[in-house]
């Protein structure tokens, strides 16, 4: 508290002398020297050399030396970062685009990058097909044998597609496609989607044609099918019991209602998982109410 508003007046050299140190010493040396001198001059210590004025000079010198070491360390780290940035910086920054794909002028590299994206999307579609076949036929020896055959078919298809691509490139190099009608004009299949670039539209079309669906779409479909199945099941169970219900039939109906409430609780957990992955806020779903579903089932039963 005594030194909280005190501003040191010593210069750096005098501060090192007060702490009995030399310039260029380490931070540990400064701390050790300060601790030893503080034990010697602190007014509350039992030392015979206790002196409040000497302790104030030691405290002042300690702050000045710490500031000097911090400034030196900051300047050294700044120079190292600057040298590291200079050694790694690129002279031609336009080569940072297109993921480093292609050579030549920017327009040529853009065309090569578009072709690279098409090839990468095709490979991803083939990998998706293979994974779907693996998950579909996994389980028994027969399914594994079918999986091997399907994998071979996928590899053969991929090899054929690459062969066709090589033949197309060879024909283009020979000039076989120079006299085609519509050369240099945009494809008509992209004319109906003017708000997105043709490459993105083409990639989306490839994914859709091969049966790819996002995870939230599958979850939404599963939730809708489950609630419809539960609604039909509760109505069918009520119709089997008839009207009026006996005591045993009422107990049976109570067990059916308890199972229905448990199924609704599990379905609401799926709804929570769906709300975590759906990308659009307006597509999120609310929980299903057991009471409302029971009332809905009773109205459906009375109507039937």
């Amino acid at each position: 508290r005594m030194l909280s508003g005190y501003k040191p007046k010593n210069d750096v050299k005098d501060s090192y002398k007060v702490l009995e140190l030399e310039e260029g010493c380490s931070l540990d040396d400064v701390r050790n020297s300060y601790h030893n001198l503080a034990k010697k001059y602190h007014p509350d210590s039992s030392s015979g050399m206790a002196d409040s004025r000497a302790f104030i000079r030691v405290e002042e010198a300690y702050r000045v030396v710490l500031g000097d070491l911090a400034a030196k360390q900051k300047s050294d780290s700044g120079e190292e970062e600057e040298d590291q940035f200079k050694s790694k910086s690129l002279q031609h920054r336009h080569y940072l685009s297109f993921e480093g794909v292609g050579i030549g002028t920017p327009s040529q590299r853009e065309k090569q990058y578009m072709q690279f994206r098409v090839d990468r999307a095709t490979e991803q579609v083939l990998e998706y097909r293979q994974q779907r076949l693996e998950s579909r036929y996994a389980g028994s020896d027969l399914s594994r044998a079918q999986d091997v055959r399907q994998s071979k078919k996928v590899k053969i298809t991929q090899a054929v597609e690459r062969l066709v691509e090589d033949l197309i490139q060879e024909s283009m190099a020979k000039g076989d496609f120079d006299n085609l009608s519509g050369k240099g004009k945009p494809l008509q299949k992209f004319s109906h989607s003017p708000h997105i670039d043709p490459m993105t539209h083409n990639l989306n079309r490839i994914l859709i044609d091969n049966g790819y669906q996002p995870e939230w779409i599958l979850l939404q479909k599963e939730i809708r099918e489950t609630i419809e199945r539960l609604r039909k099941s509760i109505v069918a169970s009520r119709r089997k019991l008839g009207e009026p219900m006996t005591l045993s039939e009422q107990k049976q109906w109570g067990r059916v209602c308890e199972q229905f409430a448990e199924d609704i609780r599990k379905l609401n957990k799926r709804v929570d998982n769906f709300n975590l992955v759906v990308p659009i806020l307006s597509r999120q779903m609310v929980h299903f109410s057991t009471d409302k579903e029971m009332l809905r089932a009773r109205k459906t039963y009375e109507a039937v």
Side-chain angles (χ1 to χ4, degrees):
R1 288 195 298 269
M2 179 177 64
L3 300 173
S4 60
Y6 186 77
K7 296 183 180 179
K9 299 179 180 180
N10 290 349
D11 57 4
V12 178
K13 293 183 179 180
D14 293 339
S15 299
Y16 278 102
K17 292 180 180 180
V18 171
L19 294 178
E20 300 177 358
L21 297 172
E22 296 181 357
E23 295 186 14
C25 60
S26 63
L27 181 62
D28 294 335
D29 296 336
V30 176
R31 290 175 178 172
N32 293 333
S33 178
Y34 170 71
H35 290 163
N36 295 331
L37 293 176
K39 292 178 182 179
K40 183 187 298 185
Y41 296 117
H42 198 279
D44 297 335
S45 66
S46 59
S47 174
M49 301 180 64
D51 185 1
S52 60
R53 295 182 179 180
F55 176 71
I56 291 175
R57 288 196 300 271
V58 171
E59 179 74 17
E60 176 185 351
Y62 177 65
R63 294 187 181 185
V64 173
V65 171
L66 287 182
D68 181 62
L69 292 178
K72 290 181 179 179
Q73 184 177 4
K74 184 176 180 181
S75 61
D76 294 341
S77 61
E79 292 177 357
E80 291 178 358
E81 292 179 357
E82 184 178 0
D83 294 340
Q84 184 178 7
F85 177 76
K86 289 181 179 180
S87 61
K88 293 185 177 181
S89 61
L90 298 176
Q91 296 180 355
H92 304 285
R93 299 192 62 84
H94 66 273
Y95 282 100
L96 296 176
S97 59
F98 307 119
E99 301 180 17
V101 177
I103 57 175
T105 62
S107 60
Q108 293 175 349
R109 297 182 68 246
E110 182 179 4
K111 293 180 180 179
Q112 296 172 12
Y113 176 63
M114 294 174 64
Q115 182 63 37
F116 168 74
R117 289 183 61 188
V118 172
D119 296 338
R120 183 172 58 183
T122 304
E123 293 179 358
Q124 292 177 353
V125 168
L126 294 176
E127 290 179 0
Y128 173 74
R129 286 183 184 176
Q130 185 174 356
Q131 293 177 0
R132 187 173 60 178
L133 291 173
E134 289 177 357
S135 60
R136 180 183 301 176
Y137 295 103
S140 61
D141 295 337
L142 179 60
S143 64
R144 282 195 292 270
Q146 293 177 352
D147 184 18
V148 172
R149 289 196 296 268
Q150 293 294 337
S151 299
K152 290 182 178 179
K153 289 182 180 179
V154 170
K155 292 180 180 178
I156 293 174
T157 302
Q158 185 177 2
V160 171
E161 291 179 353
R162 290 182 178 178
L163 177 60
V164 172
E165 181 65 24
D166 293 339
L167 293 175
I168 292 175
Q169 294 294 334
E170 183 179 357
S171 299
M172 291 176 61
K174 293 180 180 180
D176 296 340
F177 298 153
D178 293 342
N179 297 326
L180 294 178
S181 59
K183 179 183 177 182
K185 299 180 180 179
L187 298 178
Q188 295 297 327
K189 61 182 179 180
F190 299 135
S191 59
H192 63 279
S193 128
H195 302 293
I196 60 176
D197 62 287
M199 184 58 60
T200 302
H201 177 71
N202 194 17
L203 295 178
N204 293 336
R205 181 178 58 82
I206 292 174
L207 294 175
I208 294 173
D209 292 344
N210 286 272
Y212 174 78
Q213 291 181 344
E215 181 182 3
W216 67 275
I217 293 291
L218 298 178
L219 283 175
Q220 185 182 41
K221 182 179 179 182
E222 181 182 356
I223 292 172
R224 290 177 178 176
E225 292 178 351
T226 303
I227 189 61
E228 290 298 328
R229 177 175 56 81
L230 292 177
R231 289 170 179 173
K232 292 180 181 179
S233 176
I234 192 69
V235 173
S237 299
R238 183 65 184 86
R239 291 182 62 184
K240 288 182 180 180
L241 297 177
E243 188 73 27
M245 292 187 294
T246 62
L247 183 60
S248 60
E249 290 176 344
Q250 290 179 359
K251 293 181 179 180
Q252 184 179 356
W253 174 246
R255 290 192 296 269
V256 171
C257 293
E258 291 178 358
Q259 183 62 38
F260 181 76
E262 179 66 19
D263 294 336
I264 291 295
R265 186 182 65 83
K266 294 180 180 179
L267 183 61
N268 287 332
K269 289 186 177 180
R270 297 183 185 178
V271 172
D272 293 337
N273 295 333
F274 169 78
N275 291 335
L276 291 175
V277 298
V278 63
I280 306 175
L281 186 62
S282 60
R283 292 294 185 91
Q284 290 192 342
M285 304 176 66
V286 297
H287 283 186
F288 295 97
S289 173
T290 304
D291 297 335
K292 291 183 180 180
E293 293 298 331
M294 293 297 298
L295 180 62
R296 178 192 182 101
R298 185 170 63 84
K299 292 181 179 181
T300 305
Y301 167 74
E302 293 176 354
V304 173

